[in-house]
Amino acid sequence: MRTSWLEVDLGAIERNVECLRRRYGPGTEVMSVVKANAYGHGLVEASKACERGRASGLAVAILEEGATLRDAGVALPILLLGLALPEQAPDIVRYGLEAVVSDSGLCEALSRAAVSQCREAVVHLKVDTGMCRVGVEPPEVLKLAQRISSLPGLRLAALSTHFTSADTDPEAVREETRLFDQAARTLASAGFGDLKQHLAASAAGELHPSTRRQMVRAGLLTYGVPPRPGAPLDGLTPALQWKARITQVRRAAPGATVSYGRTHTLTRDSLLGLLPVGYADGWPRSLSGRGTVLVGGGRAPVLGRVCMDQCVVDLTGLGPVAVGDEAVLLGIQGDQCQTVDHVAAQAGTIAHEILSRLGARLHRVYA
C-alpha cells in the first residue's frame, strides 16, 4: 500500500484538449505543453492522452523529453521550446523534433545534421518582444529568416513569441503583439508569408483571443488548471489529485512545540496527525505554518515546519480520525476542494511551480 500518491485522470486530459479545440475553432491548432513531466502528470501517459484528444502537437523544454516521447511511440509533432546546443542538433534531427531557433549557429548545426541524415529539420523562428530570453530582436528577424532559407535541409515553418505578462497586463500584450505583427509583415513582404504564427500560451489564449492565431501552446489548460487564479474553467476538468494516508495520530498538551526549530507552540490540547509528505515530494517548505490539507471533510492546518519527508497537521475538532485515513493535499474530499491555485497562494508561488515540483517518488495512478 502506498502512503502518498497522485491520481491522474487521463480521460480529463483528453477531454480538455478536445474542449480547447472546439473553443479555438478549426483555424487554430492546440499544441499541448508537456514539459516538466507534463506539469507533474506524467510525460508519456499525459502525452498519449493529448494525442487521443487530437492535439496538433506537443511542446517540451529539453531534448531528453522529446526523445523519451519518441521512444514511447508518440508520433505527434514535438516542438523543443528551449534553446538547444549546436552539439545536440544530430539528436534533434534523429528524433524528428522541431526546434525553436534564434541564432544562426544552431540553424547551421541543424542543417549539417539534416543533410548528413538525409532528413529535413523543421524550425520555428522566435522573435523576442519583451522577455529578453529566447528570441531574436525584431530588426534581425528578416536576416535570420533569409539565412535559414539558404541552408540545405532546413525548413522554416513558424514564427513565434512569448508574452511577458499575458495574465496581468493587457497593454503589454498589445505592445508585444504589435512588435510581433511588425516582424511578421516584414517577413511576408520578403516572401515568408506562409509561416504559422503562435504567440499565445494558456493565459493569452483565454484572455486575449486575438492572439490565438494558427496555434495556441496550451499548458495549464491541458490539465484543467486556470491560467490565472479564479478564472473560470468553462468545461475543463482538473486532471490531478494528490492524496496521502495518515501514518500517526497522537495527542499533545499545551506548551508542546511542533517540528524543527520549535516554530509552533501548542496553546490547547491538540490531536496531531503525521503525513508522509514533505518538500522532497513537492510539498513546499513555505507551507510551514500556512498550508492546509483536507481530512475528514474539513481543513487541517499544517503546524510547524514542513520536513523533507513528513509534515504535521492539526486534527483537533475534525471528528474521528485514525491511522490510515486519507488526507487530500490537492483535489476533492466530500464537499471540500483544495485547488492547485489555493496551495500555490498559501505557499507564495504559482500553480506551475506546485505542479512541476511533484516528486518522482510519488506513485502515479492513472485512470
Side-chain angles (χ1 to χ4, degrees):
M1 175 187 289
R2 299 279 181 164
T3 55
S4 184
W5 67 97
L6 302 176
E7 296 178 359
V8 182
D9 185 346
L10 297 177
I13 294 175
E14 180 179 343
R15 292 188 296 274
N16 289 341
V17 174
E18 291 171 343
C19 178
L20 292 173
R21 288 177 50 248
R22 291 192 300 271
R23 183 178 305 176
Y24 298 155
T28 300
E29 299 176 358
V30 175
M31 172 175 279
S32 289
V33 182
V34 296
K35 63 181 180 178
N37 200 26
Y39 289 48
H41 292 68
L43 175 62
V44 172
E45 295 83 358
S47 294
K48 290 185 175 181
C50 294
E51 200 168 29
R52 291 191 296 272
R54 292 191 292 162
S56 296
L58 304 171
V60 298
I62 59 175
L63 168 63
E64 290 78 6
E65 292 172 329
T68 296
L69 291 177
R70 288 289 185 245
D71 289 341
V74 174
L76 283 175
I78 299 173
L79 176 63
L80 183 59
L81 293 174
L83 284 183
L85 294 172
E87 294 86 345
Q88 295 177 302
D91 283 334
I92 292 172
V93 174
R94 183 173 300 111
Y95 283 105
L97 307 180
E98 301 181 8
V100 165
V101 297
S102 61
D103 66 80
S104 59
L106 178 57
C107 295
E108 291 161 3
L110 287 167
S111 171
R112 290 191 297 270
V115 169
S116 69
Q117 296 180 38
C118 298
R119 301 182 69 174
E120 179 183 68
V122 178
V123 298
H124 296 221
L125 197 165
K126 189 163 191 176
V127 55
D128 181 7
T129 56
M131 285 285 283
C132 286
R133 201 175 62 168
V134 179
V136 62
E137 292 291 321
E140 302 299 317
V141 166
L142 178 57
K143 180 179 177 181
L144 183 55
Q146 290 171 332
R147 178 58 179 147
I148 292 170
S149 68
S150 74
L151 293 169
L154 219 56
R155 176 166 66 87
L156 178 57
L159 182 69
S160 73
T161 193
H162 190 65
F163 293 117
T164 61
S165 39
D167 56 340
T168 59
D169 192 343
E171 182 54 40
V173 171
R174 284 190 287 271
E175 174 59 17
E176 291 168 49
T177 302
R178 185 190 68 78
L179 291 172
F180 179 89
D181 287 342
Q182 188 176 61
R185 286 192 297 270
T186 298
L187 291 179
S189 66
F192 297 95
D194 59 347
L195 299 181
K196 183 181 297 182
Q197 297 181 6
H198 55 99
L199 301 80
S202 289
E206 291 300 288
L207 304 174
H208 309 284
S210 66
T211 67
R212 291 173 183 171
R213 305 297 169 88
Q214 287 81 47
M215 186 164 67
V216 173
R217 304 181 301 269
L220 288 178
L221 290 175
T222 292
Y223 311 104
V225 179
R228 66 178 180 185
L233 283 172
D234 293 334
L236 303 178
T237 304
L240 180 143
Q241 296 195 92
W242 183 1
K243 300 178 179 180
R245 298 197 182 278
I246 297 172
T247 54
Q248 176 180 270
V249 177
R250 59 168 293 180
R251 298 247 171 222
T257 58
V258 181
S259 196
Y260 286 117
R262 299 189 170 201
T263 59
H264 184 86
T265 301
L266 298 177
T267 60
R268 61 179 178 176
D269 288 318
S270 300
L271 187 67
L272 306 182
L274 188 64
L275 296 181
V277 295
Y279 53 80
D281 304 292
W283 189 242
R285 192 170 184 266
S286 57
L287 290 175
S288 300
R290 301 170 61 185
T292 58
V293 302
L294 305 181
V295 180
R299 291 190 180 272
V302 174
L303 299 184
R305 287 183 180 161
V306 173
C307 309
M308 183 181 289
D309 314 297
Q310 302 177 89
C311 68
V312 178
V313 297
D314 187 358
L315 304 176
T316 310
L318 290 180
V321 182
V323 169
D325 283 358
E326 191 174 276
V328 174
L329 292 85
L330 293 172
I332 297 172
Q333 187 182 74
D335 60 359
Q336 297 285 320
C337 179
Q338 177 132 297
T339 66
V340 177
D341 283 329
H342 179 80
V343 172
Q346 291 178 325
T349 185
I350 57 175
H352 303 72
E353 184 174 7
I354 297 297
L355 292 171
S356 64
R357 291 179 63 185
L358 293 172
R361 70 184 185 184
L362 290 172
H363 180 57
R364 285 158 173 81
V365 179
Y366 294 100

